[in-house]
C-alpha cells in the first residue's frame, strides 16, 4: 500500500518508432518501476532508469526506490 508516495512503471514494449525500435532511445532494460515522494519524480525516474540501468545515489537520497527487469525478472535498482 502506498501512502503519500507515487508509483510509475516504464517499459520498452508497446510504442515503437517507424523503424521498429522502442520509444526510449538507448534503453538498457526491458522494464523499470519506481516509487517516489511524488508522481513527477516517479515518472521521470522510471523512464531514466530504463536508460541508466540503476538509480544514482542522488535519486536514492531524494527518496526514490526502484526495481528493474533487464529481461529475466525483477531485481533491485541499486548498484
Amino acid at each position: 500500500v502506498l501512502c503519500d508516495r507515487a508509483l510509475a512503471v516504464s517499459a520498452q514494449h508497446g510504442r515503437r518508432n517507424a523503424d521498429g525500435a522502442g520509444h526510449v532511445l538507448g534503453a538498457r532494460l526491458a522494464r523499470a518501476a519506481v516509487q517516489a515522494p511524488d508522481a513527477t519524480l516517479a515518472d521521470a525516474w522510471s523512464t531514466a532508469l530504463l536508460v541508466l540501468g540503476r538509480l544514482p545515489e542522488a535519486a536514492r537520497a531524494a527518496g526514490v526506490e526502484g526495481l528493474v527487469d533487464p529481461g529475466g525478472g525483477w531485481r533491485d535498482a541499486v548498484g
Side-chain angles (χ1 to χ4, degrees), residues 26 30 49:
L49 190 52

Side-chain angles (χ1 to χ4, degrees), residues 1-68:
V1 175
L2 289 177
C3 182
D4 295 326
R5 304 277 293 168
L7 176 68
V9 178
S10 293
Q12 265 300 79
H13 66 280
R15 289 189 289 170
R16 297 280 176 194
N17 294 333
D19 63 0
H23 69 286
V24 178
L25 301 178
R28 297 177 184 193
L29 303 169
R31 300 180 293 177
V34 168
Q35 183 185 138
D38 63 62
T40 302
L41 281 175
D43 183 51
W45 278 112
S46 68
T47 302
L49 190 52
L50 285 178
V51 176
L52 296 174
R54 65 177 188 83
L55 283 174
E57 184 59 40
R60 294 192 302 274
V64 177
E65 300 172 29
L67 294 173
V68 295

